[in-house]
């Protein structure tokens, strides 16, 4: 993305280890101070590089954060294929719940959601990443469950994914409420029951 836009002068090559250090520093700074207080200077100090190393890669703070967050958010969540929708759902909810409770993610996600209300570019980046993930989950997990006869023909993949993952995002990223014992199992049972009872045309 933006890395390719700002080619370094002469024959210099952007070192991958420096880029990785900067990306790691950005994520940790976002987790500690949030987007509003994040600065190029602080990122450079944490990464152990000069500010020029950052400006060779990105024009400004917003461009840097958008590319790095988009890259992280867009990484494919492993989509299970156990041969059973119930087992696929169990693994998926476990993976997503652990990701949302990760030390860095649990700090960055609420901050960026709040920032998205003020910044259309951040909002668009987050929405694109979420839509891509939602589409992948719907096409694979829900689609293959319908083909196996585990879910009814005509099951809406978008609604199904909202039911599968919406409660986790709500509790862990919005309400920031810990999951009680047995919550994932109860959620899985409720989702399966709701999806198998629909649709009716």
């Amino acid at each position: 993305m933006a890395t390719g836009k700002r080619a370094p002068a002469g024959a210099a090559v952007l070192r991958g280890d420096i880029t990785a250090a900067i990306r790691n520093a950005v994520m940790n700074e976002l987790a500690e101070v949030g987007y509003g207080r994040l600065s190029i200077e602080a990122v450079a100090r944490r990464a152990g590089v000069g500010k020029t190393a950052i400006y060779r890669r990105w024009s400004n703070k917003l461009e840097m954060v958008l590319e790095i967050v988009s890259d992280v958010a867009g990484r494919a969540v492993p989509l299970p294929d156990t041969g059973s929708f119930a087992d696929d759902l169990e693994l998926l909810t476990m993976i997503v719940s652990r990701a949302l409770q990760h030390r860095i993610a649990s700090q960055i996600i609420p901050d960026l959601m709040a920032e998205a209300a003020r910044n259309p570019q951040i909002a668009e980046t987050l929405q694109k990443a979420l839509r891509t993930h939602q589409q992948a989950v719907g096409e694979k997990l829900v689609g293959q469950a319908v083909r196996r006869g585990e879910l009814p023909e005509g099951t809406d993949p978008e609604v199904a994914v909202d039911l599968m993952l919406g409660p986790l995002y709500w509790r862990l990223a919005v309400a920031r409420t810990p999951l009680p014992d047995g919550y994932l199992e109860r959620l899985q049972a409720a989702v399966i029951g709701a999806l198998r009872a629909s649709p009716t045309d």
Side-chain angles (χ1 to χ4, degrees), residues 11-22:
V13 174
L14 296 179
R15 286 173 48 186
D17 58 332
I18 292 179
T19 302
I22 295 170

Side-chain angles (χ1 to χ4, degrees), residues 9 16 36 47 70 74 82 130 138 162 166 181 186 195:
S70 179
T82 65
L130 290 173
D162 284 347
D181 291 342
R186 294 194 297 274
L195 292 178

Side-chain angles (χ1 to χ4, degrees), residues 33-109:
V33 305
Y35 177 81
R37 293 173 57 197
L38 182 142
S39 69
I40 296 290
E41 291 79 6
V43 170
R45 281 197 304 272
R46 185 184 285 268
V49 302
K51 289 192 294 182
T52 55
I54 294 176
Y55 286 118
R56 287 192 189 104
R57 292 160 171 81
W58 301 282
S59 300
N60 52 54
K61 179 176 86 168
L62 178 61
E63 181 183 301
M64 176 181 69
V65 170
L66 286 179
E67 180 183 327
I68 292 171
V69 169
S70 179
D71 178 64
V72 172
R75 290 174 188 169
V77 173
L79 297 181
D81 185 1
T82 65
S84 159
F85 178 68
D87 290 341
D88 288 348
L89 180 60
E90 179 182 359
L91 283 175
L92 180 67
T93 54
M94 180 183 68
I95 291 168
V96 171
S97 65
R98 287 182 178 176
L100 291 174
Q101 293 176 87
H102 186 276
R103 177 184 64 85
I104 292 179
S106 66
Q107 297 299 319
I108 290 177
I109 293 173

Side-chain angles (χ1 to χ4, degrees), residues 76-199:
V77 173
L79 297 181
D81 185 1
T82 65
S84 159
F85 178 68
D87 290 341
D88 288 348
L89 180 60
E90 179 182 359
L91 283 175
L92 180 67
T93 54
M94 180 183 68
I95 291 168
V96 171
S97 65
R98 287 182 178 176
L100 291 174
Q101 293 176 87
H102 186 276
R103 177 184 64 85
I104 292 179
S106 66
Q107 297 299 319
I108 290 177
I109 293 173
D111 177 71
L112 288 181
M113 289 173 63
E115 198 65 39
R118 299 182 288 270
N119 190 313
Q121 290 175 281
I122 291 178
E124 182 181 357
T125 297
L126 294 178
Q127 289 165 6
K128 182 178 179 181
L130 290 173
R131 282 197 303 269
T132 300
H133 178 244
Q134 183 183 44
Q135 184 177 7
V137 172
E139 288 178 352
K140 183 170 184 183
L141 268 67
V142 178
Q144 64 195 13
V146 170
R147 290 190 293 273
R148 288 194 297 251
E150 296 175 292
L151 294 178
E153 289 286 343
T155 296
D156 188 323
E158 187 173 349
V159 171
V161 175
D162 284 347
L163 287 172
M164 292 158 63
L165 301 180
L168 294 177
Y169 281 99
W170 168 255
R171 291 189 66 107
L172 297 174
V174 180
R176 299 174 67 81
T177 305
L179 301 183
D181 291 342
Y183 177 83
L184 289 182
E185 290 81 1
R186 294 194 297 274
L187 174 62
Q188 293 153 17
V191 168
I192 292 172
L195 292 178
R196 285 180 175 168
S198 65

